[in-house]
Amino acid sequence: NIMFHPVETQLDRVSELASKQGPGVSLEANLPEFSFSPQEYITQTGEYLMTLPQHLEPFMSGDTSLLGRALRDGTSIPGAKESAESADTAPVDFLLGCVAVSTCAKYLEQLNGIQNIGNNSARQLGIDIGYLGNVLEDLGHSLSPELSSACALLKVDPAQIKTEGSNHPANIVALVKKI
């Protein structure tokens, strides 16, 4: 849980930041996709996640089978059930998987707290989630299917959500419509 705390601290700011518009940006202005870049909270999260393998490097050498078994059998690690797909998973990959699962779950939790933001703010969230997906991919993990769906839907025009939503889970479509 201590490994996830810096991520959790940054993601706790999502709903607050989503409601803010940048200076001089009108809610009605339909900005092109290249006008957006990941916000500071998500780049700081990404930087932290990218340093985790270095912090866990001491656990990569030698016989790690006992450590791996101890981690997988420990039920108190957030994301452990979702990350324990293989008994052959190295302890470092297992821990990174736990952090990835917890990060996606926390982001979805934060999205649930957001209501009635502008189209550009919604698209900004999509850009931020896409950045997080790229970081997780670099670490050998991926966004949860739900967060990936939310990312795709946040980037489309609100009028197209109904047609685009047929390819995504109903609960995620409802979440994005609320946003």
Side-chain angles (χ1 to χ4, degrees):
N1 212 8
I2 192 74
M3 280 192 318
F4 184 64
H5 182 71
V7 173
E8 186 174 36
T9 302
Q10 290 296 330
L11 294 183
D12 280 340
R13 301 174 46 211
V14 170
S15 57
E16 169 195 329
L17 293 171
S19 62
K20 292 183 180 179
Q21 284 290 320
V25 177
S26 167
L27 289 175
E28 287 79 34
N30 197 8
L31 299 173
E33 181 120 356
F34 64 81
S35 298
F36 297 92
S37 62
Q39 294 182 80
E40 185 179 13
Y41 80 95
I42 201 67
T43 57
Q44 288 176 348
T45 300
E47 288 171 11
Y48 171 74
L49 291 172
M50 293 299 282
T51 63
L52 275 179
Q54 294 169 343
H55 296 294
L56 298 171
E57 192 172 341
F59 301 108
M60 289 187 202
S61 60
D63 182 19
T64 59
S65 60
L66 293 176
L67 175 60
R69 193 162 107 208
L71 288 172
R72 278 185 282 287
D73 292 343
T75 57
S76 65
I77 300 173
K81 289 181 183 175
E82 296 86 348
S83 296
E85 66 267 352
S86 171
D88 297 338
T89 304
V92 172
D93 288 332
F94 174 78
L95 289 171
L96 288 174
C98 290
V99 171
V101 167
S102 296
T103 300
C104 292
K106 180 67 175 179
Y107 211 114
L108 273 175
E109 177 186 314
Q110 292 297 309
L111 287 178
N112 276 313
I114 300 172
Q115 294 183 1
N116 300 325
I117 60 172
N119 186 33
N120 286 333
S121 293
R123 290 175 66 198
Q124 180 64 59
L125 284 172
I127 297 297
D128 293 346
I129 295 169
Y131 176 82
L132 176 62
N134 291 338
V135 169
L136 293 178
E137 190 176 303
D138 286 348
L139 294 171
H141 298 279
S142 59
L143 289 174
S144 67
E146 294 85 7
L147 194 56
S148 183
S149 289
C151 177
L153 291 172
L154 286 166
K155 291 180 181 180
V156 300
D157 188 73
Q160 296 177 335
I161 288 179
K162 197 171 204 172
T163 57
E164 292 288 325
S166 62
N167 301 327
H168 301 280
N171 63 329
I172 300 301
V173 174
L175 171 69
V176 171
K177 283 182 180 179
K178 178 186 73 148
I179 292 175

